[in-house]
Amino acid sequence: MRISPLIDRLIESLQALPGVGPKTATRTALHLLQHNREGARALAAALSDAADSVRRCRSCRTLTESDFCGICANPRRDAAVLCVVESPSDIVAIELAGSFSGRYFVLHGRLSPIDGIGPEELGLTELPAHVRSSGAREVILATNPTVEGEATAHYIKESLTGTAAEVTRIAHGVPLGGELEYVDGGTIAHALQGRRSVD
Amino acid sequence: MRISPLIDRLIESLQALPGVGPKTATRTALHLLQHNREGARALAAALSDAADSVRRCRSCRTLTESDFCGICANPRRDAAVLCVVESPSDIVAIELAGSFSGRYFVLHGRLSPIDGIGPEELGLTELPAHVRSSGAREVILATNPTVEGEATAHYIKESLTGTAAEVTRIAHGVPLGGELEYVDGGTIAHALQGRRSVD
């Protein structure tokens, strides 16, 4: 339904947000205009400032507006352990888990020749030099357990053979609190394959 | 978790959107910055343009950037029937139903003395004159079936006694497709009270 050109444009633009369709966009637009114009203006400014200034950390490639992100700039983060992830949101998930104190390297994707995404696009051509210069002793591959994520992990493992770092892969298996009965077959196969002796 | 000042501010600002908490905001911010900066910039412009220019229709008080909204400016809409609603999103819902060809009057709320919302705030002081000058023969009260919505409907009914318009209330009862078994008691009471003879 058409409301007015400006409101229609706002509804259309709100659908750039992931998971927002026409209905949510309409409700959101009317809510902001009726009850929270200051919020709308603050969001507009935050969006345009971030879109203009956020770029990639010069060390780990995550998103930041500074030359180096907070983690790379933090001298207390252990440079000896480097965790390779597909995207900045993976860093958020790992940081929230709170048990990792090393550094990261963000691919911004995974190898996908069909989409024209090769090693260059993922920063993989710089990774061996990065591992050498950072003195990392261990590189943890935390790409997702999809076909492309596994292929990417495999590629990275190969490309790091010349370095001194041990290359490891995060464990994939039954999630905590997950019941075998409800876990998919692929996960169970992974969990069986990755079994460890009980000490 | 802190990511960077600009990204944190974007995550904070995104929470002005209804139903968006810290998790969705974080995912949304990173998604836009990684994959859709053009969408983020377009959304920023649409938000600030709408926040600056959208005001109320001079006739029906709905949201629009013009003096008169599309419905009020449309000569084919029947001025003889005026539907009073609480908010612009109610107009969207009624228009999508597609069976109403009259005009609207938007209260932007309902009577709520506790929140300091009286007749003046809802445009009710202008409503009788509006009904007279528009020549409306019927005023349909479509405020919500809440205590405050009913009180508002009652107030409007009283305030229009001097006018020539018949005042009606939309029916409240079991929704189409709703099964009695799953409908709440208040709705069933309404449906019984509003029963009509079968012809």
mmCIF file of all heavy atoms in Angstrom, chain A residues 1 4-7 9 13 17 28 30 34 37 41 44-47 49 51-54 63 65 88-89 108, chain B residues 4-7 9-10 13 17 28 30 34 37 41 44-46 49 51-54 63 65 88-89 92 108:
data_model
loop_
_atom_site.group_PDB
_atom_site.id
_atom_site.type_symbol
_atom_site.label_atom_id
_atom_site.label_comp_id
_atom_site.label_asym_id
_atom_site.label_seq_id
_atom_site.Cartn_x
_atom_site.Cartn_y
_atom_site.Cartn_z
ATOM 1 N N MET A 1 0.838 -1.209 0.000
ATOM 2 C CA MET A 1 0.000 0.000 0.000
ATOM 3 C C MET A 1 0.871 1.257 0.000
ATOM 4 O O MET A 1 1.870 1.331 0.711
ATOM 5 C CB MET A 1 -0.844 -0.036 1.294
ATOM 6 C CG MET A 1 -1.866 1.068 1.396
ATOM 7 S SD MET A 1 -2.049 1.634 3.123
ATOM 8 C CE MET A 1 -2.491 3.349 2.855
ATOM 9 N N SER A 4 2.877 7.656 1.507
ATOM 10 C CA SER A 4 3.295 8.943 0.920
ATOM 11 C C SER A 4 4.700 8.682 0.395
ATOM 12 O O SER A 4 5.375 7.771 0.862
ATOM 13 C CB SER A 4 3.293 10.054 1.979
ATOM 14 O OG SER A 4 4.471 9.993 2.756
ATOM 15 N N PRO A 5 5.172 9.470 -0.597
ATOM 16 C CA PRO A 5 6.479 9.143 -1.203
ATOM 17 C C PRO A 5 7.601 8.969 -0.175
ATOM 18 O O PRO A 5 8.334 7.983 -0.226
ATOM 19 C CB PRO A 5 6.721 10.329 -2.140
ATOM 20 C CG PRO A 5 5.347 10.802 -2.511
ATOM 21 C CD PRO A 5 4.495 10.583 -1.291
ATOM 22 N N LEU A 6 7.728 9.892 0.784
ATOM 23 C CA LEU A 6 8.831 9.791 1.746
ATOM 24 C C LEU A 6 8.678 8.585 2.663
ATOM 25 O O LEU A 6 9.666 7.910 2.982
ATOM 26 C CB LEU A 6 8.921 11.065 2.597
ATOM 27 C CG LEU A 6 9.672 12.246 1.999
ATOM 28 C CD1 LEU A 6 9.791 13.357 3.027
ATOM 29 C CD2 LEU A 6 11.061 11.828 1.530
ATOM 30 N N ILE A 7 7.454 8.317 3.102
ATOM 31 C CA ILE A 7 7.239 7.178 3.999
ATOM 32 C C ILE A 7 7.436 5.876 3.216
ATOM 33 O O ILE A 7 8.048 4.929 3.714
ATOM 34 C CB ILE A 7 5.844 7.252 4.659
ATOM 35 C CG1 ILE A 7 5.717 8.555 5.465
ATOM 36 C CG2 ILE A 7 5.608 6.047 5.563
ATOM 37 C CD1 ILE A 7 4.357 8.767 6.115
ATOM 38 N N ARG A 9 9.420 5.463 0.725
ATOM 39 C CA ARG A 9 10.864 5.288 0.515
ATOM 40 C C ARG A 9 11.516 4.760 1.795
ATOM 41 O O ARG A 9 12.396 3.902 1.750
ATOM 42 C CB ARG A 9 11.483 6.640 0.133
ATOM 43 C CG ARG A 9 12.881 6.523 -0.450
ATOM 44 C CD ARG A 9 13.407 7.892 -0.802
ATOM 45 N NE ARG A 9 14.554 8.238 0.009
ATOM 46 C CZ ARG A 9 14.843 9.467 0.418
ATOM 47 N NH1 ARG A 9 14.062 10.481 0.103
ATOM 48 N NH2 ARG A 9 15.921 9.684 1.143
ATOM 49 N N SER A 13 13.536 1.333 2.154
ATOM 50 C CA SER A 13 14.928 1.325 2.615
ATOM 51 C C SER A 13 15.118 0.440 3.843
ATOM 52 O O SER A 13 16.182 -0.160 4.022
ATOM 53 C CB SER A 13 15.387 2.736 2.977
ATOM 54 O OG SER A 13 15.180 3.612 1.901
ATOM 55 N N LEU A 17 17.524 -4.083 5.906
ATOM 56 C CA LEU A 17 17.899 -4.765 7.149
ATOM 57 C C LEU A 17 17.573 -6.249 7.029
ATOM 58 O O LEU A 17 16.510 -6.608 6.535
ATOM 59 C CB LEU A 17 17.145 -4.164 8.335
ATOM 60 C CG LEU A 17 17.292 -2.657 8.525
ATOM 61 C CD1 LEU A 17 16.440 -2.183 9.697
ATOM 62 C CD2 LEU A 17 18.745 -2.294 8.751
ATOM 63 N N THR A 28 7.660 -0.504 11.456
ATOM 64 C CA THR A 28 8.827 0.208 11.983
ATOM 65 C C THR A 28 8.815 1.678 11.569
ATOM 66 O O THR A 28 9.042 2.563 12.392
ATOM 67 C CB THR A 28 10.110 -0.470 11.467
ATOM 68 O OG1 THR A 28 10.100 -1.832 11.895
ATOM 69 C CG2 THR A 28 11.349 0.217 11.996
ATOM 70 N N LEU A 30 6.293 3.624 10.649
ATOM 71 C CA LEU A 30 5.235 4.394 11.309
ATOM 72 C C LEU A 30 5.549 4.584 12.789
ATOM 73 O O LEU A 30 5.324 5.661 13.342
ATOM 74 C CB LEU A 30 3.880 3.709 11.116
ATOM 75 C CG LEU A 30 3.388 3.692 9.660
ATOM 76 C CD1 LEU A 30 2.101 2.896 9.531
ATOM 77 C CD2 LEU A 30 3.190 5.110 9.137
ATOM 78 N N GLN A 34 5.922 8.223 14.411
ATOM 79 C CA GLN A 34 4.935 8.625 15.409
ATOM 80 C C GLN A 34 5.564 8.878 16.770
ATOM 81 O O GLN A 34 5.186 9.800 17.470
ATOM 82 C CB GLN A 34 3.892 7.504 15.571
ATOM 83 C CG GLN A 34 2.676 7.660 14.683
ATOM 84 C CD GLN A 34 1.534 6.860 15.279
ATOM 85 O OE1 GLN A 34 1.597 5.640 15.306
ATOM 86 N NE2 GLN A 34 0.503 7.544 15.742
ATOM 87 N N ARG A 37 11.153 10.205 16.676
ATOM 88 C CA ARG A 37 11.901 10.886 15.603
ATOM 89 C C ARG A 37 13.347 11.104 16.004
ATOM 90 O O ARG A 37 14.241 11.062 15.166
ATOM 91 C CB ARG A 37 11.273 12.239 15.302
ATOM 92 C CG ARG A 37 9.918 12.027 14.698
ATOM 93 C CD ARG A 37 9.589 13.085 13.712
ATOM 94 N NE ARG A 37 8.229 12.793 13.312
ATOM 95 C CZ ARG A 37 7.643 13.234 12.234
ATOM 96 N NH1 ARG A 37 8.290 14.048 11.429
ATOM 97 N NH2 ARG A 37 6.424 12.885 11.936
ATOM 98 N N ARG A 41 16.539 10.014 13.817
ATOM 99 C CA ARG A 41 17.631 10.901 13.393
ATOM 100 C C ARG A 41 18.979 10.372 13.885
ATOM 101 O O ARG A 41 19.973 10.406 13.158
ATOM 102 C CB ARG A 41 17.409 12.312 13.940
ATOM 103 C CG ARG A 41 16.317 13.048 13.187
ATOM 104 C CD ARG A 41 16.430 14.570 13.357
ATOM 105 N NE ARG A 41 15.249 15.177 12.769
ATOM 106 C CZ ARG A 41 14.112 15.396 13.445
ATOM 107 N NH1 ARG A 41 14.041 15.073 14.730
ATOM 108 N NH2 ARG A 41 13.069 15.929 12.835
ATOM 109 N N ALA A 44 19.955 7.520 11.718
ATOM 110 C CA ALA A 44 20.413 8.000 10.408
ATOM 111 C C ALA A 44 21.874 8.447 10.490
ATOM 112 O O ALA A 44 22.705 8.080 9.642
ATOM 113 C CB ALA A 44 19.524 9.153 9.934
ATOM 114 N N ALA A 45 22.202 9.220 11.533
ATOM 115 C CA ALA A 45 23.569 9.716 11.682
ATOM 116 C C ALA A 45 24.541 8.565 11.930
ATOM 117 O O ALA A 45 25.627 8.505 11.334
ATOM 118 C CB ALA A 45 23.628 10.728 12.823
ATOM 119 N N ALA A 46 24.134 7.619 12.796
ATOM 120 C CA ALA A 46 25.017 6.489 13.110
ATOM 121 C C ALA A 46 25.269 5.642 11.870
ATOM 122 O O ALA A 46 26.394 5.195 11.620
ATOM 123 C CB ALA A 46 24.402 5.642 14.224
ATOM 124 N N LEU A 47 24.217 5.436 11.069
ATOM 125 C CA LEU A 47 24.362 4.644 9.846
ATOM 126 C C LEU A 47 25.315 5.327 8.877
ATOM 127 O O LEU A 47 26.221 4.685 8.327
ATOM 128 C CB LEU A 47 23.004 4.483 9.154
ATOM 129 C CG LEU A 47 22.087 3.383 9.659
ATOM 130 C CD1 LEU A 47 20.679 3.587 9.100
ATOM 131 C CD2 LEU A 47 22.611 2.003 9.250
ATOM 132 N N ASP A 49 27.579 7.734 9.425
ATOM 133 C CA ASP A 49 28.945 7.820 9.953
ATOM 134 C C ASP A 49 29.667 6.474 9.824
ATOM 135 O O ASP A 49 30.810 6.394 9.386
ATOM 136 C CB ASP A 49 28.936 8.235 11.431
ATOM 137 C CG ASP A 49 28.545 9.711 11.593
ATOM 138 O OD1 ASP A 49 28.421 10.389 10.559
ATOM 139 O OD2 ASP A 49 28.367 10.146 12.740
ATOM 140 N N ALA A 51 28.896 3.918 7.846
ATOM 141 C CA ALA A 51 29.075 3.514 6.442
ATOM 142 C C ALA A 51 30.249 4.263 5.815
ATOM 143 O O ALA A 51 30.968 3.724 4.972
ATOM 144 C CB ALA A 51 27.790 3.760 5.644
ATOM 145 N N ASP A 52 30.456 5.522 6.244
ATOM 146 C CA ASP A 52 31.546 6.309 5.666
ATOM 147 C C ASP A 52 32.906 5.956 6.255
ATOM 148 O O ASP A 52 33.913 5.991 5.557
ATOM 149 C CB ASP A 52 31.296 7.810 5.894
ATOM 150 C CG ASP A 52 30.175 8.335 5.010
ATOM 151 O OD1 ASP A 52 29.782 7.600 4.082
ATOM 152 O OD2 ASP A 52 29.702 9.456 5.258
ATOM 153 N N SER A 53 32.955 5.651 7.556
ATOM 154 C CA SER A 53 34.257 5.575 8.227
ATOM 155 C C SER A 53 34.749 4.187 8.582
ATOM 156 O O SER A 53 35.943 3.990 8.812
ATOM 157 C CB SER A 53 34.227 6.405 9.513
ATOM 158 O OG SER A 53 33.838 7.721 9.231
ATOM 159 N N VAL A 54 33.835 3.220 8.676
ATOM 160 C CA VAL A 54 34.294 1.896 9.083
ATOM 161 C C VAL A 54 35.010 1.219 7.923
ATOM 162 O O VAL A 54 34.525 1.216 6.792
ATOM 163 C CB VAL A 54 33.109 1.041 9.591
ATOM 164 C CG1 VAL A 54 33.535 -0.409 9.772
ATOM 165 C CG2 VAL A 54 32.584 1.603 10.904
ATOM 166 N N LEU A 63 36.159 -5.347 11.063
ATOM 167 C CA LEU A 63 35.610 -4.013 10.836
ATOM 168 C C LEU A 63 35.956 -3.087 11.995
ATOM 169 O O LEU A 63 35.779 -3.429 13.157
ATOM 170 C CB LEU A 63 34.088 -4.088 10.686
ATOM 171 C CG LEU A 63 33.588 -4.854 9.464
ATOM 172 C CD1 LEU A 63 32.083 -5.084 9.570
ATOM 173 C CD2 LEU A 63 33.911 -4.099 8.178
ATOM 174 N N GLU A 65 36.821 1.553 12.665
ATOM 175 C CA GLU A 65 37.112 2.837 12.013
ATOM 176 C C GLU A 65 38.547 3.289 12.279
ATOM 177 O O GLU A 65 39.003 4.275 11.708
ATOM 178 C CB GLU A 65 36.118 3.911 12.447
ATOM 179 C CG GLU A 65 36.218 4.335 13.895
ATOM 180 C CD GLU A 65 35.303 3.493 14.785
ATOM 181 O OE1 GLU A 65 34.977 2.352 14.397
ATOM 182 O OE2 GLU A 65 34.927 3.978 15.858
ATOM 183 N N PRO A 88 33.283 -10.896 10.990
ATOM 184 C CA PRO A 88 33.385 -10.185 12.271
ATOM 185 C C PRO A 88 32.378 -10.689 13.303
ATOM 186 O O PRO A 88 32.664 -10.666 14.507
ATOM 187 C CB PRO A 88 33.084 -8.727 11.891
ATOM 188 C CG PRO A 88 33.476 -8.617 10.459
ATOM 189 C CD PRO A 88 33.120 -9.946 9.864
ATOM 190 N N SER A 89 31.206 -11.172 12.851
ATOM 191 C CA SER A 89 30.220 -11.640 13.837
ATOM 192 C C SER A 89 30.703 -12.914 14.518
ATOM 193 O O SER A 89 30.287 -13.216 15.642
ATOM 194 C CB SER A 89 28.855 -11.840 13.192
ATOM 195 O OG SER A 89 28.982 -12.539 11.982
ATOM 196 N N HIS A 108 36.286 -12.492 5.831
ATOM 197 C CA HIS A 108 35.155 -11.847 5.156
ATOM 198 C C HIS A 108 34.609 -12.735 4.050
ATOM 199 O O HIS A 108 34.395 -12.278 2.919
ATOM 200 C CB HIS A 108 35.538 -10.480 4.587
ATOM 201 C CG HIS A 108 35.799 -9.455 5.639
ATOM 202 N ND1 HIS A 108 34.795 -8.801 6.302
ATOM 203 C CD2 HIS A 108 36.956 -9.003 6.183
ATOM 204 C CE1 HIS A 108 35.319 -7.969 7.197
ATOM 205 N NE2 HIS A 108 36.632 -8.076 7.155
ATOM 206 N N SER B 4 33.841 -1.279 18.202
ATOM 207 C CA SER B 4 34.584 -0.036 17.963
ATOM 208 C C SER B 4 33.575 1.073 18.228
ATOM 209 O O SER B 4 32.364 0.838 18.125
ATOM 210 C CB SER B 4 35.118 0.029 16.529
ATOM 211 O OG SER B 4 34.109 0.450 15.650
ATOM 212 N N PRO B 5 34.024 2.285 18.592
ATOM 213 C CA PRO B 5 33.050 3.319 18.973
ATOM 214 C C PRO B 5 31.934 3.524 17.954
ATOM 215 O O PRO B 5 30.762 3.546 18.311
ATOM 216 C CB PRO B 5 33.920 4.568 19.135
ATOM 217 C CG PRO B 5 35.261 4.029 19.529
ATOM 218 C CD PRO B 5 35.407 2.728 18.791
ATOM 219 N N LEU B 6 32.273 3.630 16.650
ATOM 220 C CA LEU B 6 31.236 3.899 15.654
ATOM 221 C C LEU B 6 30.288 2.713 15.495
ATOM 222 O O LEU B 6 29.082 2.884 15.341
ATOM 223 C CB LEU B 6 31.858 4.219 14.291
ATOM 224 C CG LEU B 6 32.315 5.659 14.071
ATOM 225 C CD1 LEU B 6 32.779 5.826 12.624
ATOM 226 C CD2 LEU B 6 31.184 6.630 14.361
ATOM 227 N N ILE B 7 30.838 1.505 15.510
ATOM 228 C CA ILE B 7 29.984 0.319 15.357
ATOM 229 C C ILE B 7 29.120 0.143 16.601
ATOM 230 O O ILE B 7 27.929 -0.163 16.502
ATOM 231 C CB ILE B 7 30.837 -0.936 15.060
ATOM 232 C CG1 ILE B 7 31.647 -0.727 13.768
ATOM 233 C CG2 ILE B 7 29.955 -2.179 14.933
ATOM 234 C CD1 ILE B 7 32.581 -1.874 13.418
ATOM 235 N N ARG B 9 28.039 2.519 18.484
ATOM 236 C CA ARG B 9 26.983 3.533 18.420
ATOM 237 C C ARG B 9 25.888 3.098 17.451
ATOM 238 O O ARG B 9 24.698 3.289 17.702
ATOM 239 C CB ARG B 9 27.590 4.871 17.954
ATOM 240 C CG ARG B 9 26.685 6.061 18.202
ATOM 241 C CD ARG B 9 27.367 7.346 17.714
ATOM 242 N NE ARG B 9 26.642 7.926 16.614
ATOM 243 C CZ ARG B 9 27.215 8.565 15.584
ATOM 244 N NH1 ARG B 9 28.523 8.677 15.498
ATOM 245 N NH2 ARG B 9 26.461 9.082 14.636
ATOM 246 N N LEU B 10 26.289 2.490 16.324
ATOM 247 C CA LEU B 10 25.295 2.001 15.366
ATOM 248 C C LEU B 10 24.438 0.911 16.004
ATOM 249 O O LEU B 10 23.205 0.903 15.864
ATOM 250 C CB LEU B 10 26.007 1.488 14.107
ATOM 251 C CG LEU B 10 25.120 0.853 13.039
ATOM 252 C CD1 LEU B 10 24.004 1.795 12.600
ATOM 253 C CD2 LEU B 10 25.958 0.436 11.827
ATOM 254 N N SER B 13 22.047 2.543 18.340
ATOM 255 C CA SER B 13 20.988 3.285 17.643
ATOM 256 C C SER B 13 19.977 2.363 16.994
ATOM 257 O O SER B 13 18.797 2.697 16.895
ATOM 258 C CB SER B 13 21.588 4.188 16.562
ATOM 259 O OG SER B 13 22.586 5.010 17.098
ATOM 260 N N LEU B 17 14.718 0.691 16.894
ATOM 261 C CA LEU B 17 13.709 -0.003 16.084
ATOM 262 C C LEU B 17 12.913 -0.952 16.980
ATOM 263 O O LEU B 17 13.495 -1.659 17.787
ATOM 264 C CB LEU B 17 14.379 -0.794 14.951
ATOM 265 C CG LEU B 17 15.292 0.019 14.028
ATOM 266 C CD1 LEU B 17 15.935 -0.895 12.993
ATOM 267 C CD2 LEU B 17 14.501 1.117 13.353
ATOM 268 N N THR B 28 22.671 -7.022 12.632
ATOM 269 C CA THR B 28 22.258 -6.085 11.590
ATOM 270 C C THR B 28 23.388 -5.121 11.240
ATOM 271 O O THR B 28 23.684 -4.890 10.061
ATOM 272 C CB THR B 28 21.025 -5.290 12.078
ATOM 273 O OG1 THR B 28 19.980 -6.211 12.371
ATOM 274 C CG2 THR B 28 20.562 -4.318 11.021
ATOM 275 N N LEU B 30 26.668 -5.413 11.637
ATOM 276 C CA LEU B 30 27.780 -6.063 10.934
ATOM 277 C C LEU B 30 27.368 -6.459 9.521
ATOM 278 O O LEU B 30 28.152 -6.325 8.574
ATOM 279 C CB LEU B 30 28.263 -7.284 11.731
ATOM 280 C CG LEU B 30 28.901 -6.925 13.085
ATOM 281 C CD1 LEU B 30 29.248 -8.185 13.864
ATOM 282 C CD2 LEU B 30 30.150 -6.074 12.883
ATOM 283 N N GLN B 34 29.284 -5.057 6.312
ATOM 284 C CA GLN B 34 30.014 -6.025 5.481
ATOM 285 C C GLN B 34 29.464 -6.108 4.073
ATOM 286 O O GLN B 34 30.213 -6.210 3.108
ATOM 287 C CB GLN B 34 29.906 -7.419 6.114
ATOM 288 C CG GLN B 34 31.046 -7.755 7.043
ATOM 289 C CD GLN B 34 31.135 -9.270 7.182
ATOM 290 O OE1 GLN B 34 30.208 -9.881 7.716
ATOM 291 N NE2 GLN B 34 32.208 -9.852 6.711
ATOM 292 N N ARG B 37 26.638 -1.440 2.273
ATOM 293 C CA ARG B 37 26.836 -0.047 2.694
ATOM 294 C C ARG B 37 25.929 0.887 1.934
ATOM 295 O O ARG B 37 25.481 1.894 2.460
ATOM 296 C CB ARG B 37 28.283 0.370 2.440
ATOM 297 C CG ARG B 37 29.183 -0.399 3.344
ATOM 298 C CD ARG B 37 30.372 0.396 3.766
ATOM 299 N NE ARG B 37 31.168 -0.528 4.546
ATOM 300 C CZ ARG B 37 32.136 -0.184 5.359
ATOM 301 N NH1 ARG B 37 32.444 1.084 5.487
ATOM 302 N NH2 ARG B 37 32.795 -1.085 6.034
ATOM 303 N N ARG B 41 23.479 3.600 3.608
ATOM 304 C CA ARG B 41 23.455 5.028 3.291
ATOM 305 C C ARG B 41 22.064 5.458 2.834
ATOM 306 O O ARG B 41 21.571 6.523 3.213
ATOM 307 C CB ARG B 41 24.480 5.350 2.193
ATOM 308 C CG ARG B 41 25.899 5.375 2.718
ATOM 309 C CD ARG B 41 26.843 6.136 1.788
ATOM 310 N NE ARG B 41 28.214 5.918 2.254
ATOM 311 C CZ ARG B 41 28.986 4.922 1.853
ATOM 312 N NH1 ARG B 41 28.553 4.069 0.932
ATOM 313 N NH2 ARG B 41 30.203 4.773 2.339
ATOM 314 N N ALA B 44 19.894 5.695 5.828
ATOM 315 C CA ALA B 44 20.206 6.899 6.607
ATOM 316 C C ALA B 44 19.514 8.116 5.996
ATOM 317 O O ALA B 44 18.877 8.907 6.699
ATOM 318 C CB ALA B 44 21.719 7.118 6.659
ATOM 319 N N ALA B 45 19.601 8.243 4.666
ATOM 320 C CA ALA B 45 18.983 9.393 3.998
ATOM 321 C C ALA B 45 17.464 9.341 4.129
ATOM 322 O O ALA B 45 16.814 10.362 4.423
ATOM 323 C CB ALA B 45 19.397 9.418 2.524
ATOM 324 N N ALA B 46 16.882 8.147 3.941
ATOM 325 C CA ALA B 46 15.420 8.021 4.028
ATOM 326 C C ALA B 46 14.931 8.340 5.428
ATOM 327 O O ALA B 46 13.904 9.011 5.606
ATOM 328 C CB ALA B 46 14.994 6.604 3.620
ATOM 329 N N ASP B 49 15.362 12.241 5.983
ATOM 330 C CA ASP B 49 14.374 12.991 5.192
ATOM 331 C C ASP B 49 12.980 12.846 5.790
ATOM 332 O O ASP B 49 12.250 13.818 5.950
ATOM 333 C CB ASP B 49 14.348 12.501 3.735
ATOM 334 C CG ASP B 49 15.605 12.917 2.980
ATOM 335 O OD1 ASP B 49 16.398 13.696 3.552
ATOM 336 O OD2 ASP B 49 15.800 12.461 1.841
ATOM 337 N N ALA B 51 12.146 11.910 8.876
ATOM 338 C CA ALA B 51 12.050 12.510 10.213
ATOM 339 C C ALA B 51 11.912 14.027 10.121
ATOM 340 O O ALA B 51 11.245 14.656 10.937
ATOM 341 C CB ALA B 51 13.266 12.129 11.054
ATOM 342 N N ASP B 52 12.559 14.629 9.101
ATOM 343 C CA ASP B 52 12.494 16.083 8.977
ATOM 344 C C ASP B 52 11.195 16.565 8.333
ATOM 345 O O ASP B 52 10.688 17.624 8.692
ATOM 346 C CB ASP B 52 13.674 16.596 8.117
ATOM 347 C CG ASP B 52 14.985 16.505 8.871
ATOM 348 O OD1 ASP B 52 14.941 16.298 10.097
ATOM 349 O OD2 ASP B 52 16.044 16.644 8.223
ATOM 350 N N SER B 53 10.656 15.812 7.367
ATOM 351 C CA SER B 53 9.578 16.375 6.545
ATOM 352 C C SER B 53 8.194 15.807 6.807
ATOM 353 O O SER B 53 7.201 16.433 6.438
ATOM 354 C CB SER B 53 9.902 16.164 5.057
ATOM 355 O OG SER B 53 11.151 16.715 4.755
ATOM 356 N N VAL B 54 8.111 14.619 7.400
ATOM 357 C CA VAL B 54 6.783 14.041 7.585
ATOM 358 C C VAL B 54 6.070 14.745 8.738
ATOM 359 O O VAL B 54 6.651 14.939 9.800
ATOM 360 C CB VAL B 54 6.874 12.520 7.830
ATOM 361 C CG1 VAL B 54 5.526 11.971 8.275
ATOM 362 C CG2 VAL B 54 7.336 11.813 6.566
ATOM 363 N N LEU B 63 0.004 10.589 8.966
ATOM 364 C CA LEU B 63 1.357 11.020 8.646
ATOM 365 C C LEU B 63 1.525 11.193 7.141
ATOM 366 O O LEU B 63 1.161 10.317 6.357
ATOM 367 C CB LEU B 63 2.367 9.988 9.152
ATOM 368 C CG LEU B 63 2.438 9.824 10.670
ATOM 369 C CD1 LEU B 63 3.279 8.600 11.032
ATOM 370 C CD2 LEU B 63 3.012 11.069 11.321
ATOM 371 N N GLU B 65 4.034 13.916 4.144
ATOM 372 C CA GLU B 65 4.889 15.097 4.026
ATOM 373 C C GLU B 65 4.168 16.214 3.259
ATOM 374 O O GLU B 65 4.687 17.324 3.148
ATOM 375 C CB GLU B 65 6.224 14.747 3.359
ATOM 376 C CG GLU B 65 6.145 14.354 1.906
ATOM 377 C CD GLU B 65 5.976 12.848 1.760
ATOM 378 O OE1 GLU B 65 5.469 12.204 2.706
ATOM 379 O OE2 GLU B 65 6.343 12.315 0.698
ATOM 380 N N PRO B 88 -1.930 5.705 12.344
ATOM 381 C CA PRO B 88 -1.771 5.526 10.896
ATOM 382 C C PRO B 88 -1.670 4.054 10.493
ATOM 383 O O PRO B 88 -2.104 3.684 9.402
ATOM 384 C CB PRO B 88 -0.473 6.273 10.590
ATOM 385 C CG PRO B 88 -0.355 7.302 11.661
ATOM 386 C CD PRO B 88 -0.928 6.640 12.882
ATOM 387 N N SER B 89 -1.122 3.205 11.374
ATOM 388 C CA SER B 89 -1.000 1.797 10.979
ATOM 389 C C SER B 89 -2.374 1.125 10.906
ATOM 390 O O SER B 89 -2.547 0.143 10.191
ATOM 391 C CB SER B 89 -0.073 1.040 11.929
ATOM 392 O OG SER B 89 -0.374 1.353 13.256
ATOM 393 N N VAL B 92 -3.414 1.604 7.402
ATOM 394 C CA VAL B 92 -2.767 0.620 6.524
ATOM 395 C C VAL B 92 -3.535 -0.696 6.574
ATOM 396 O O VAL B 92 -3.836 -1.300 5.537
ATOM 397 C CB VAL B 92 -1.294 0.404 6.942
ATOM 398 C CG1 VAL B 92 -0.669 -0.733 6.152
ATOM 399 C CG2 VAL B 92 -0.504 1.687 6.763
ATOM 400 N N HIS B 108 -3.960 9.471 16.792
ATOM 401 C CA HIS B 108 -2.589 9.338 17.313
ATOM 402 C C HIS B 108 -2.608 9.030 18.801
ATOM 403 O O HIS B 108 -1.905 9.674 19.592
ATOM 404 C CB HIS B 108 -1.775 10.609 17.055
ATOM 405 C CG HIS B 108 -1.458 10.814 15.607
ATOM 406 N ND1 HIS B 108 -0.473 10.128 14.960
ATOM 407 C CD2 HIS B 108 -2.045 11.605 14.668
ATOM 408 C CE1 HIS B 108 -0.439 10.501 13.688
ATOM 409 N NE2 HIS B 108 -1.388 11.386 13.483
#
